[in-house]
Amino acid sequence: MAALYFHSAAGKASLEAVASSSPSLALRPSQSKTLCIGSSRWWMRRRWEGKAGGISSSSRARARARAVARPALFSPVAMEWQECVTELEVDVPCSVAYQCYSERESIPQWMPFISSVKVLEDKPDLSRWSLKYEVFGRNVEFSWLARNMTPTKNQKIHWRSLEGLPNRGAVRFFPKTPSSCRVQLTVAYEIPEILAPVGSALKPFMEGLLLKGLERFAAFAKERNSKIPQP
């Protein structure tokens, strides 16, 4: 857009010279000090739109900057999941191992990091779990509500959390001999934010704990089996 600025000190002659060369200009010096040649209608329209909107272009720019800088109210971060698998041969029949593991409130007796399990009286398929353990120098504590899914007798027990620490898992029982079986434990969990910095080392650490738990379970189940009257 071309513009000509008129100053009274420049004298009337300069304005008249411009007016004679541009007949379309009919403004007098007293009417305006800025003459917009060829784009006056566009300039006036943009100025009117700015006033009608109630906000200047600079204000709109600042508002856009604030909108970009402000974090979204709901911006869920997808956390990483890990799956740990361990197994052990146990010197008891599948039926005995299955029965021992079905007693959820006994699990803290052999699983190192489980501090308590409480089965809900009115809903026996639900149970509340608590975890307390030191992980790489950090004392961690979590809890969750889990639902036991429909089991396959003497073959499979599986669950998933409904609230609290997101996790799911399964225990499978495979017969080896009439008096022994192989127990496979699979646990998957969402890595807690507090343990994210050690996430790469967390899986082998957890699998070591699960194996230790199965070793204690084998001793627990074997003792239980020894108290069962033999035919």
Side-chain angles (χ1 to χ4, degrees), residues 112-124:
F113 53 88
I114 299 299
S115 56
S116 67
V117 180
K118 180 63 178 177
V119 177
L120 275 59
E121 294 183 2
D122 56 336
K123 297 180 179 179

Side-chain angles (χ1 to χ4, degrees), residues 93 111 177 220:
M111 192 57 70
T177 69
F220 178 89

Side-chain angles (χ1 to χ4, degrees), residues 190-225:
E190 185 180 81
I191 299 177
E193 185 176 356
I194 191 175
L195 297 177
V198 294
S200 59
L202 187 59
K203 182 175 180 177
F205 177 81
M206 283 299 300
E207 288 182 337
L209 285 180
L210 294 174
L211 180 58
K212 187 176 182 180
L214 282 186
E215 291 171 348
R216 292 181 177 180
F217 170 76
F220 178 89
K222 190 172 182 179
E223 182 181 358
R224 173 72 64 86
N225 190 49

